[in-house]
């Protein structure tokens, strides 16, 4: 067992450089830069810096960036740098530069994604209402079991292959989702359909706060603004309907819930249909195409009320056109089902391998 500081060249915070809106100069990392597990240049900031005065803070191949100030859910999230990048290491992400004589860098990256590490990280984290954090000094003291370098590389090779399959499956699903959206645009956009106000079509309602509940691993799904947030054994309030994120980061997101579920108070849903004029597949895609976020109150935390949803004019195409679209969606959904099944199996394999190697 070795302390993290013993196997690294350094573990350090980034430079405190105030970003501007110029989008010019050398990119600077932000917390969002590692949201996809890599260094995403499309999610960096800028500060009109063009010279190399910060070149000592440019990212190098095999650097690992870690979030050390974030919400508890995202605390310890890591992004891997696959090649040298002229990107400045900014604040609120730690750069962990590994000594390759001690440990294979990608092996450490996978270890940081393991439950074993998360348990250790939780012990050194200081939690607050809006964000949590841990210190560099405490992180450096975390002890890691270091195995033979050849075994490390073999483990990384296996995990890389499984992770690549997961990435391919997710891209296939995204491609099919985009196909549905493009089909919707082709069939319904810029057509002269009649429009009806939301208040004459639907009864909207906010979800209910679960004052006392058990957060179960299975049971009745509890939907928030961006899908299932946990499970409960509470009485159901609705099913098979449209759910719209009401507050926070997922404000305006639209989900189609096809199962018995509980809707939380951070979402709005269609409680009742006043007119029988919609096919559910068409309705979901129509609402997903609407930018509901533009109706949000922007002072403080973004929030949508029911009023603008009720006042919005929704198109009502002939039902036979909606059904034609629904049939297309069903065919695409069959393909998605098989891919999602394969994705789930591959993710389960990945999790079992992570437990085997790092548990």
């Amino acid at each position: 067992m070795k302390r993290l500081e013993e196997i690294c060249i350094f573990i350090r915070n980034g430079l405190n450089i105030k970003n501007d809106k110029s989008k010019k100069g050398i990119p600077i990392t932000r917390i969002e830069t590692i949201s996809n597990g890599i260094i995403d240049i499309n999610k960096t900031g800028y500060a009109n810096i063009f010279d190399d005065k910060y070149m000592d803070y440019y990212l190098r191949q095999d650097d690992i960036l870690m979030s050390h100030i974030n919400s508890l859910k995202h605390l310890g999230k890591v992004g891997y740098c696959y090649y040298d990048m002229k990107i400045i290491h900014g604040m609120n992400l730690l750069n962990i530069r590994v000594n390759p004589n001690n440990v294979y860098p990608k092996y450490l990256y996978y270890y940081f994604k393991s439950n074993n590490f998360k348990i250790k990280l939780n012990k050194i984290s200081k939690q607050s209402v809006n964000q949590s954090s841990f210190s560099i000094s405490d992180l450096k003291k975390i002890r890691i079991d270091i195995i033979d370098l050849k075994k490390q590389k073999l483990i990384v090779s296996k995990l890389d292959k499984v992770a690549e399959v997961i990435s391919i499956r997710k891209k296939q699903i995204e491609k099919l989702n985009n196909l549905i959206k493009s089909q919707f645009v082709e069939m319904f956009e810029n057509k002269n359909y009649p429009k009806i106000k939301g208040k004459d079509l639907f009864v909207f309602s906010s979800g209910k706060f679960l004052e006392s509940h058990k957060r179960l691993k299975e049971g009745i799904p509890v939907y928030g603004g961006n899908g299932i947030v946990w499970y409960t054994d509470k009485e159901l309030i609705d099913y098979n309907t449209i759910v719209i994120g009401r507050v926070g980061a997922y404000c305006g997101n639209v989900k189609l819930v096809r199962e018995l579920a509980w809707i939380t108070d951070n979402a709005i849903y269609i409680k009742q249909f006043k007119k029988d004029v919609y096919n559910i597949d068409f309705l979901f895609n129509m609402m997903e195409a609407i930018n509901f976020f533009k109706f949000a109150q922007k002072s403080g935390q973004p929030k949508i009320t029911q009023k603008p949803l009720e006042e919005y004019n929704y198109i009502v195409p002939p039902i036979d056109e909606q059904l034609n679209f629904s049939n297309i969606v069903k065919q695409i959904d069959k393909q998605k089902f098989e891919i999602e099944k394969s994705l789930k199996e591959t993710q389960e394999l990945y999790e079992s391998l992570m437990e085997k190697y790092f548990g």
Side-chain angles (χ1 to χ4, degrees), residues 100-159:
N101 295 322
N102 294 324
V103 65
Y104 190 46
K106 195 72 177 290
Y107 177 83
L108 188 62
Y109 165 77
Y110 277 118
Y111 173 75
F112 287 148
K113 296 166 72 70
S114 71
N115 288 328
N116 186 304
F117 176 71
K118 290 174 183 176
I119 291 170
K120 292 181 179 181
L121 196 64
N122 189 55
K123 292 179 180 179
I124 66 171
S125 298
K126 297 177 178 62
Q127 301 176 18
S128 61
V129 176
N130 296 319
Q131 69 176 24
S132 301
S133 63
F134 57 86
S135 70
I136 296 177
S137 59
D138 286 337
L139 178 67
K140 288 179 177 180
K141 295 174 186 175
I142 287 181
R143 291 184 174 273
I144 299 171
D145 187 16
I146 303 300
I147 61 175
D148 180 75
L149 276 171
K150 288 184 178 179
K151 290 183 179 179
Q152 291 180 34
K153 292 180 180 180
L154 181 61
I155 288 172
V156 167
S157 176
K158 290 180 179 180
L159 290 173

Side-chain angles (χ1 to χ4, degrees), residues 12-250:
R12 69 182 181 190
N13 205 343
L15 296 171
N16 188 6
I17 302 173
K18 187 176 181 179
N19 290 186
D20 57 34
K21 297 180 180 180
S22 67
K23 294 188 177 181
K24 294 179 181 179
I26 300 169
I28 305 167
T29 65
R30 303 182 298 173
I31 289 179
E32 296 85 353
T33 304
I34 64 168
S35 60
N36 295 320
I38 59 171
I39 311 302
D40 190 344
I41 195 170
N42 296 312
K43 296 182 179 180
T44 54
Y46 295 87
N48 264 305
I49 298 171
F50 293 91
D51 56 35
D52 289 326
K53 62 182 177 181
Y54 298 125
M55 66 181 303
D56 188 47
Y57 279 81
Y58 291 167
L59 299 183
R60 295 184 186 176
Q61 182 177 343
D62 297 326
D63 279 355
I64 301 169
L65 296 188
M66 177 183 290
S67 175
H68 70 118
I69 299 176
N70 211 323
S71 63
L72 185 60
K73 179 181 178 181
H74 298 292
L75 196 65
K77 180 173 282 189
V78 287
Y80 192 79
C81 188
Y82 284 88
Y83 51 88
D84 290 352
M85 305 180 79
K86 195 173 181 178
I87 297 178
I88 299 169
H89 172 211
M91 284 290 288
N92 297 332
L93 288 175
L94 301 181
N95 186 352
I96 301 171
R97 187 166 294 172
V98 176
N99 185 336
N101 295 322
N102 294 324
V103 65
Y104 190 46
K106 195 72 177 290
Y107 177 83
L108 188 62
Y109 165 77
Y110 277 118
Y111 173 75
F112 287 148
K113 296 166 72 70
S114 71
N115 288 328
N116 186 304
F117 176 71
K118 290 174 183 176
I119 291 170
K120 292 181 179 181
L121 196 64
N122 189 55
K123 292 179 180 179
I124 66 171
S125 298
K126 297 177 178 62
Q127 301 176 18
S128 61
V129 176
N130 296 319
Q131 69 176 24
S132 301
S133 63
F134 57 86
S135 70
I136 296 177
S137 59
D138 286 337
L139 178 67
K140 288 179 177 180
K141 295 174 186 175
I142 287 181
R143 291 184 174 273
I144 299 171
D145 187 16
I146 303 300
I147 61 175
D148 180 75
L149 276 171
K150 288 184 178 179
K151 290 183 179 179
Q152 291 180 34
K153 292 180 180 180
L154 181 61
I155 288 172
V156 167
S157 176
K158 290 180 179 180
L159 290 173
D160 275 349
K161 289 176 182 177
V162 178
E164 178 62 20
V165 174
I166 291 173
S167 177
I168 290 170
R169 295 291 177 265
K170 287 182 176 180
K171 288 177 182 177
Q172 289 173 329
I173 293 170
E174 183 181 7
K175 187 176 181 180
L176 290 174
N177 285 335
N178 289 334
L179 179 59
I180 292 174
K181 291 176 182 178
S182 64
Q183 188 65 51
F184 178 87
V185 169
E186 181 181 333
M187 292 180 67
F188 300 107
E189 197 170 86
N190 299 322
K191 302 290 179 68
N192 191 26
Y193 295 119
K195 296 181 178 181
I196 301 177
K197 283 187 180 294
K199 62 184 179 183
D200 297 321
L201 292 167
F202 319 110
V203 175
F204 290 102
S205 179
S206 293
K208 306 299 180 184
F209 175 64
L210 281 171
E211 187 172 354
S212 60
H213 58 271
K214 296 178 182 178
R215 298 195 177 195
L216 307 175
K217 291 185 178 180
E218 56 184 25
I220 298 166
V222 177
Y223 277 83
N226 196 43
I228 299 174
V229 290
W230 66 78
Y231 294 87
T232 184
D233 55 3
K234 286 283 186 179
E235 183 181 350
L236 313 176
I237 66 167
D238 215 73
Y239 60 96
N240 286 347
T241 192
I242 304 294
V243 179
I244 302 166
R246 189 175 69 86
V247 296
Y250 304 118

